[in-house]
Amino acid sequence: RIMSVTAPSNSNGGSECDESELWYFAYGANTNVFQLQSKGVVPRESHAAVLRGWRMVFGLKPMMRLMGHMANIVPDPFGHVHGVLHRFSHEHMAIIDKMEGEGSTYKREVFDVETYNGMHVKAHAYVCPGPPERLLEGPPSERYRTIILTGARHHDLHADHVTWLEGVETVKMEHNKDRPKPQMKEDKIWTREQVAASDNHFCLMNYVFDGTALPPMVLKRFKSDLGPPAEYFLLMLIPRDQDTPTSMPKSFQEFSQPQLDFIDMMLEQFEKDHPIVGTCPLPLKCFSRKMHF
């Protein structure tokens, strides 16, 4: 457990980092140290802290509806954001920049952050400035809220903040296991090579979808020749109560029944938004390295 009650310090005993380090204020998923560890990032120290004059919202429209809205902060003269102050190396901050989409989704800015015992430090935090059509409040996914809630409890953040998180409504997805087989817009059998060669199609549970409506970043991650198959990407959305990273199965045969049920629920959601244009006997790839979701 990383203690959150002592004042930030470095080798000189002050609150300032040396040139090789910086302070980062996390208010979303990165309050969770297990989430950071799954990204290969380990803070040198962490402390409960508050950012005044701002308010936390789930106000960033998702790239896909089923992913839920993401956290953001907005100016509010009477507001305050509870979070975790991490001390990072610049190398680890660069990893966070890449994961958070710094420069595209979020912009990293410097704020005056106060620890729970009154120490003020200049810290970096991410803000999404727009465009306006993305700045819409809505429910987060259950998994995303659980990650943030686990981080808040782990660092003993203010009880009012924890209570607020517990009361946040999450994305609701219905699942009918007995529904009929998906209706196909086209009854075509695709080869693996055809799916890989198409710019706008991807395979999920052996069904080929027209992904024209998907954001390019998501579609790229769904392409089996460019990374993990779509099934693996969707497993990242599984709600979990435990606060430790879960190893990704190395092959389709290692998926548990709850994981298969969750993917089937995702398939049902995709049927509503994206036309099925055929089938493809596309085997899931096996991975020699472990992945975390």
Side-chain angles (χ1 to χ4, degrees):
R1 178 178 174 80
I2 297 179
M3 298 303 294
S4 306
V5 295
T6 57
S9 63
N10 59 16
S11 59
N12 298 319
S15 63
E16 298 297 327
C17 296
D18 61 37
E19 294 182 356
S20 67
E21 302 171 328
L22 50 77
W23 289 108
Y24 162 53
F25 178 71
Y27 55 86
N30 290 334
T31 58
N32 188 316
V33 291
F34 301 104
Q35 179 77 1
L36 290 174
Q37 289 169 5
S38 73
K39 299 174 181 178
V41 174
V42 179
R44 295 179 179 177
E45 55 181 297
S46 299
H47 309 270
V50 62
L51 170 63
R52 303 189 188 281
W54 292 75
R55 176 168 52 90
M56 177 179 168
V57 296
F58 290 99
L60 185 55
K61 186 179 179 180
M63 293 182 293
M64 294 188 302
R65 177 171 54 87
L66 54 83
M67 292 176 66
H69 288 241
M70 308 298 285
N72 194 18
I73 54 175
V74 295
D76 182 340
F78 304 104
H80 46 271
V81 180
H82 292 274
V84 179
L85 188 66
H86 299 298
R87 183 161 64 98
F88 278 151
S89 67
H90 286 277
E91 290 77 14
H92 279 182
M93 196 69 227
I95 295 175
I96 300 297
D97 277 344
K98 184 176 180 180
M99 297 297 297
E100 297 295 329
E102 201 284 327
S104 56
T105 300
Y106 289 99
K107 180 180 179 182
R108 177 150 59 93
E109 299 183 6
V110 178
F111 299 88
D112 178 47
V113 177
E114 181 183 356
T115 65
Y116 275 17
N117 54 4
M119 180 73 72
H120 287 259
V121 300
K122 296 295 183 182
H124 296 250
Y126 294 104
V127 183
C128 180
E133 57 268 19
R134 286 211 67 187
L135 300 181
L136 299 174
E137 293 192 38
S141 70
E142 177 66 23
R143 173 186 180 271
Y144 185 57
R145 187 194 65 162
T146 298
I147 289 174
I148 299 174
L149 190 54
T150 299
R153 291 169 175 160
H154 182 85
H155 290 282
D156 294 328
L157 297 191
H158 197 285
D160 288 347
H161 180 66
V162 173
T163 300
W164 173 72
L165 286 172
E166 290 173 340
V168 170
E169 292 190 5
T170 57
V171 174
K172 306 300 181 185
M173 291 183 291
E174 298 179 356
H175 183 209
N176 179 13
K177 293 183 179 181
D178 299 322
R179 71 186 189 285
K181 292 183 63 175
Q183 298 298 309
M184 291 186 288
K185 181 179 178 181
E186 301 175 27
D187 189 8
K188 174 184 175 181
I189 297 178
W190 293 60
T191 66
R192 177 179 181 137
E193 291 72 24
Q194 287 173 323
V195 175
S198 171
D199 292 333
N200 298 317
H201 295 87
F202 65 93
C203 186
L204 175 63
M205 298 301 281
N206 298 117
Y207 290 102
V208 179
F209 287 83
D210 182 342
T212 304
L214 283 173
M217 183 184 301
V218 176
L219 184 59
K220 180 177 180 180
R221 295 181 76 170
F222 276 9
K223 301 288 288 182
S224 61
D225 59 328
L226 296 174
E231 287 85 354
Y232 283 96
F233 181 78
L234 293 180
L235 284 180
M236 295 173 64
L237 306 178
I238 289 182
R240 299 195 316 280
D241 293 327
Q242 65 269 31
D243 57 3
T244 54
T246 303
S247 297
M248 183 71 77
K250 294 182 180 180
S251 69
F252 180 78
Q253 288 73 25
E254 294 183 13
F255 284 0
S256 67
Q257 190 57 50
Q259 288 173 331
L260 292 173
D261 289 343
F262 185 82
I263 291 174
D264 187 60
M265 182 174 67
M266 294 295 101
L267 178 63
E268 183 177 0
Q269 302 302 312
F270 267 84
E271 292 174 42
K272 299 175 181 178
D273 298 330
H274 309 285
I276 297 177
V277 295
T279 58
C280 176
L282 181 63
L284 291 178
K285 295 192 295 186
C286 295
F287 294 90
S288 58
R289 65 186 179 93
K290 286 189 175 181
M291 304 172 61
H292 296 289
F293 62 98

